[in-house]
Amino acid sequence: MIDGEAKINARIRHPNVVQFLGVAKEPGRIYIVSELVDGCNMEDAIFDEERKREMGIGHVDKLFVAKQCVQAVAAYLHTLVPPVIHKDIKPANVSIRKNCFTTKLCDLGISKVKSLTAANTACAGNPGGTPAYIAPECLLAGKKATAATDIRSLAITLIEFFIEEDAWSVDDEVDAVLAIQRRMKNEEIPHIPSATQCSDQIRKTITMCVHYNPGVRPCAVDFMKAF
């Protein structure tokens, strides 16, 4: 598994993806060495009040951060030959450098190179990723991850970044996963940012990105056009 991850990460070179440096092994332990991003992850920038104050990410800065996230996924990973599907895009896997707000996608540990081998190793009912950000076709039907599922996960991530709250409002639920599954079965959409939180074009694009039909979700180029 580690060797497979190393091979995937070794071919990735982009300013908005945390740089993989190498693997160190010793008996009983394996270390993955990567670039250090001096700042915090997006989840803390959204939900941790102290880190939010420390980072001081303003409205214009949010647009800059969001654009970098889209560049990493839609304009790079998905355009590689063959494409790399991240499979676990969420705020905790986005690192933001303090002061300059350079943003980098990280934790490609469960990524899959979109190839025949990768497709054959995808297990139904075990889509990988984190439930709140997984696309409905994966969470409910156990289908394999695709570029379209990454796009939806990215959209949910950016929704939470813009609105600074849980996209599904399930914090008070006894079983948050079941609550999300119920909402997906009813084809409910998560909260969409308001007109004061981002532009109409971004709002429109994000709304399309969370569509329940994967074929309706924008491709990489169209997602980039929103920025």
Side-chain angles (χ1 to χ4, degrees), residues 135-144 146 148-149 152 211-212 214 217:
E137 61 269 23
C138 295
L139 188 62
L140 300 180
K143 293 185 178 180
K144 70 182 182 71
T146 64
T149 62
R152 181 178 166 109
H211 200 284
Y212 279 79
R217 297 173 201 155

Side-chain angles (χ1 to χ4, degrees), residues 13-225:
R13 293 287 188 278
H14 191 272
N16 298 125
V17 179
V18 169
Q19 184 63 60
F20 167 79
L21 300 176
V23 176
K25 300 178 182 180
E26 63 179 36
R29 293 182 181 180
I30 299 175
Y31 302 92
I32 296 176
V33 185
S34 64
E35 169 189 12
L36 171 66
V37 179
D38 185 12
C40 74
N41 65 47
M42 184 182 283
E43 184 174 63
D44 287 343
I46 298 170
F47 300 110
D48 186 305
E49 291 301 324
E50 182 177 349
R51 296 312 298 271
K52 187 189 298 186
R53 287 193 299 271
E54 289 176 357
M55 293 293 288
I57 302 174
H59 175 70
V60 175
D61 302 320
K62 283 190 173 184
L63 296 176
F64 176 57
V65 169
K67 182 178 180 179
Q68 292 177 82
C69 292
V70 177
Q71 286 176 168
V73 179
Y76 179 64
L77 293 181
H78 290 179
T79 62
L80 291 173
V81 181
V84 170
I85 311 302
H86 188 286
K87 294 185 66 180
D88 195 23
I89 300 171
K90 58 184 178 181
N93 284 340
V94 176
S95 295
I96 305 171
R97 182 168 284 131
K98 62 185 179 183
N99 301 322
C100 65
F101 306 128
T102 298
T103 302
K104 295 175 181 280
L105 185 67
C106 62
D107 196 7
L108 277 72
I110 59 172
S111 300
K112 294 291 185 187
V113 176
K114 189 178 180 183
S115 63
L116 179 61
T117 301
N120 287 340
T121 57
C123 299
N126 183 26
T130 305
Y133 308 95
I134 296 176
E137 61 269 23
C138 295
L139 188 62
L140 300 180
K143 293 185 178 180
K144 70 182 182 71
T146 64
T149 62
D150 262 4
I151 290 294
R152 181 178 166 109
S153 298
L154 177 59
I156 299 290
T157 295
L158 296 184
I159 285 172
E160 295 192 337
F161 185 52
F162 284 122
I163 70 176
E164 296 186 359
E165 61 182 75
D166 170 27
W168 290 103
S169 297
V170 294
D171 286 347
D172 297 329
E173 298 282 351
V174 175
D175 191 323
V177 176
L178 285 177
I180 292 171
Q181 288 176 323
R182 284 196 301 270
R183 296 183 185 191
M184 285 184 174
K185 288 176 181 176
N186 294 328
E187 295 198 358
E188 297 179 27
I189 63 171
H191 301 306
I192 300 298
S194 68
T196 61
Q197 293 169 323
C198 62
S199 70
D200 287 342
Q201 184 61 37
I202 292 175
R203 293 174 68 241
K204 179 180 178 181
T205 302
I206 285 178
T207 301
M208 296 299 291
C209 287
V210 297
H211 200 284
Y212 279 79
N213 180 353
V216 174
R217 297 173 201 155
C219 65
V221 174
D222 289 336
F223 203 160
M224 279 301 301
K225 287 179 181 177

